């Protein structure tokens, strides 16, 4: 990918990510079908009924607008607002319902827990949209998906109390998933990563946190003026990686204190969750629009917890359904 001098001078980090996404879409839209490689059966596994391996859904089941959630039970909750339903398919932790809400065709898909599961779900959703299962080649016209993940999270700042909603405008990944994909450096905010490592006095061997941005236009579309725009850590575990200490001692007991104090361009890290970085990073690399918005159910600073968080989700679900 080449930029003119004007581009280089004018692009911010977020602008660079947006420009990269547009270029990916352009390349995917212009590449002739006969130049595309044949994708082997071991790489894209298609079930005997024509559905994709893990999700068990077929290309015709997938809408362009997709709401993601971790808990399969939450799929039924979200789809409970649908006016019509056309498919209801589950396999393992992956549950999909596609239907319509106020004239919009939407798929709701559960992904389970963690960035490793996001790698499965995003790759299979992209395959359903952009690979011809009959010929095992990439389709000549790129189909862009809009993906909004509704999750739960722990708040790290006084202005993200239990019951508030936070969108991950930027995600800090402790997982490393996108490092396995070419061009990952083009969607990362390296300057913020360097500052993060410096301020946190990072001492976790073998892991370099990466920083990626959600789709700017989608953030605007979903958050409006009543959802906090934050910087979210996607941890690669629920206990130690998020500073919880049970029987095993932590490698860096002060890490959460340093995370809470971190500041970059007058912004602070707002919350912990476990999927937003892989979602934003992979979606950007593929040319899709994606973001995560969470309901805060735990106050990590004041040590509070709302285990009855299911009562806090319907308002957020309706906001996303109305705005996606």
């Amino acid at each position: 990918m080449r930029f003119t001098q004007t581009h280089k001078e004018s692009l911010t980090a977020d602008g660079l990510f947006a420009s990269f996404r547009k270029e990916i879409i352009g390349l995917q839209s212009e590449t002739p079908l006969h130049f595309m490689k044949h994708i082997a059966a071991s790489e894209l596994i298609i079930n005997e009924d024509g559905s994709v391996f893990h999700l068990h859904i077929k290309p015709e089941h997938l809408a362009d607008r997709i709401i993601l959630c971790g808990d399969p039970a939450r799929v039924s909750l979200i789809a409970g607002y649908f006016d019509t339903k056309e498919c209801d398919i589950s396999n393992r932790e992956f549950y999909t319902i596609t239907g319509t809400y106020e004239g919009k065709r939407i798929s709701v898909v559960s992904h389970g827990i963690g960035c490793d599961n996001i790698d499965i779900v995003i790759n299979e959703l992209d395959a359903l949209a952009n690979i011809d299962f009959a010929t095992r080649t990439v389709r000549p016209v790129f189909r862009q998906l809009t993906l909004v993940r509704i999750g739960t999270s722990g708040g790290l700042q006084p202005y993200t109390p239990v019951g508030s909603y936070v969108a991950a405008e930027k995600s800090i990944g402790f997982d490393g998933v996108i490092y396995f994909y070419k061009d990952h450096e083009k969607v990362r905010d390296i300057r913020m990563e360097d500052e993060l490592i410096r301020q946190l006095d990072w001492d976790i061997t073998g892991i370099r946190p990466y920083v990626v941005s959600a789709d700017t236009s989608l953030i605007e579309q979903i958050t409006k003026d009543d959802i906090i725009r934050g910087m979210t850590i996607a941890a690669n575990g629920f206990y130690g990686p998020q500073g919880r200490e049970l029987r095993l001692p932590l490698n860096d007991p002060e890490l959460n204190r340093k995370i809470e104090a971190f500041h970059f361009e007058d912004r602070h890290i707002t919350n912990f969750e476990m999927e937003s970085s892989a979602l934003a990073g992979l979606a950007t690399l593929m040319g899709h629009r994606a973001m995560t918005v969470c309901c805060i159910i735990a106050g990590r600073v004041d040590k509070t917890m709302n285990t009855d968080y299911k009562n806090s989700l319907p308002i957020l679900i309706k906001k996303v359904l109305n705005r996606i």
Side-chain angles (χ1 to χ4, degrees):
M1 179 173 64
R2 296 191 300 272
F3 292 105
T4 64
Q5 189 63 33
T6 302
H7 283 145
K8 291 177 181 177
E9 292 172 351
S10 65
L11 287 174
T12 62
D14 288 342
L16 182 61
F17 304 149
S19 180
F20 177 77
R21 183 183 283 109
K22 288 178 182 176
E23 176 143 339
I24 287 295
I25 294 170
L27 289 173
Q28 291 170 333
S29 299
E30 296 168 6
T31 306
L33 182 61
H34 62 270
F35 283 121
M36 293 301 180
K37 66 178 181 181
H38 180 270
I39 301 170
S42 61
E43 310 307 291
L44 173 61
I45 304 171
I46 301 172
N47 298 315
E48 289 185 2
D49 65 355
S51 64
V52 73
F53 186 55
H54 293 93
L55 300 184
H56 272 226
I57 61 174
K58 301 176 184 179
E60 60 266 28
H61 295 144
L62 185 67
D64 291 341
R65 296 179 176 93
I66 302 166
I67 296 176
L68 299 168
C69 56
D71 184 357
R74 201 172 301 157
V75 172
S76 298
L77 176 64
I78 297 169
Y81 294 100
F82 283 1
D83 302 312
T84 64
K85 295 177 185 177
E86 62 185 76
C87 81
D88 186 316
I89 299 168
S90 64
N91 179 54
R92 299 183 182 181
E93 63 266 55
F94 309 112
Y95 184 23
T96 301
I97 296 178
T98 295
T100 58
Y101 173 80
E102 296 188 354
K104 296 181 287 191
R105 187 170 183 252
I106 300 171
S107 293
V108 187
V109 182
S110 65
H111 51 70
I113 298 175
C115 285
D116 50 347
N117 271 26
I118 291 295
D119 179 68
I120 291 171
V121 172
I122 298 308
N123 272 286
E124 293 196 359
L125 290 176
D126 179 72
L128 288 160
N130 291 300
I131 295 176
D132 186 320
F133 280 22
T135 63
R136 291 184 170 275
T137 54
V138 176
R139 295 183 183 278
V141 177
F142 174 66
R143 177 184 172 192
Q144 187 181 59
L145 303 175
T146 295
L147 306 113
V148 178
R149 188 182 100 76
I150 298 176
T152 53
S153 183
L156 290 167
Q157 299 298 335
Y159 56 86
T160 58
V162 170
S164 59
Y165 305 129
V166 179
E169 194 165 26
K170 284 188 178 290
S171 292
I172 300 163
F174 286 1
D175 56 282
V177 165
I178 70 166
Y179 290 133
F180 290 87
Y181 294 92
K182 186 179 179 180
D183 289 331
H184 61 80
E185 68 282 353
K186 294 179 180 178
V187 303
R188 290 165 44 211
D189 189 336
I190 307 295
R191 192 165 66 90
M192 183 175 164
E193 289 177 13
D194 290 341
E195 188 60 21
L196 187 77
I197 289 168
R198 186 188 72 81
Q199 289 191 37
L200 299 189
D201 190 22
W202 188 257
D203 192 33
I204 310 297
T205 305
I207 299 174
R208 176 186 168 95
Y210 65 90
V211 179
V212 289
S213 296
D215 182 85
T216 304
S217 65
L218 189 57
I219 287 283
E220 293 279 350
Q221 180 180 332
I222 298 297
T223 61
K224 303 292 185 183
D225 58 357
D226 55 5
I227 294 175
I228 298 164
R229 300 182 187 185
M231 296 198 302
T232 300
I233 288 179
N236 55 351
F238 184 78
Y239 289 96
Q242 296 187 40
R244 291 183 172 94
E245 186 172 351
L246 303 184
R247 287 203 318 115
L248 290 178
L250 299 174
N251 184 65
D252 184 356
E254 294 298 307
L255 183 57
N256 271 19
R257 179 190 59 78
K258 292 181 284 188
I259 286 171
E260 292 161 17
F262 174 80
H263 58 91
F264 183 77
E265 297 178 347
D266 296 324
R267 300 183 65 188
H268 295 82
I269 297 171
T270 49
N271 58 311
F272 270 124
E273 52 89 76
M274 296 177 63
E275 292 88 13
S276 63
S277 56
L279 174 59
L282 292 176
T284 301
L285 285 171
M286 292 174 178
H288 300 301
R289 304 168 72 224
M291 64 168 285
T292 292
V293 58
C294 288
C295 176
I296 301 298
I297 65 169
R300 298 305 306 280
V301 177
D302 59 11
K303 309 296 184 184
T304 57
M305 178 70 194
N306 175 20
T307 56
D308 192 28
Y309 63 85
K310 288 182 175 62
N311 293 328
S312 304
L313 281 173
I315 295 173
L316 179 58
I317 289 169
K318 287 298 293 286
K319 287 180 188 293
V320 173
L321 283 169
N322 287 329
R323 297 171 183 178
I324 193 171

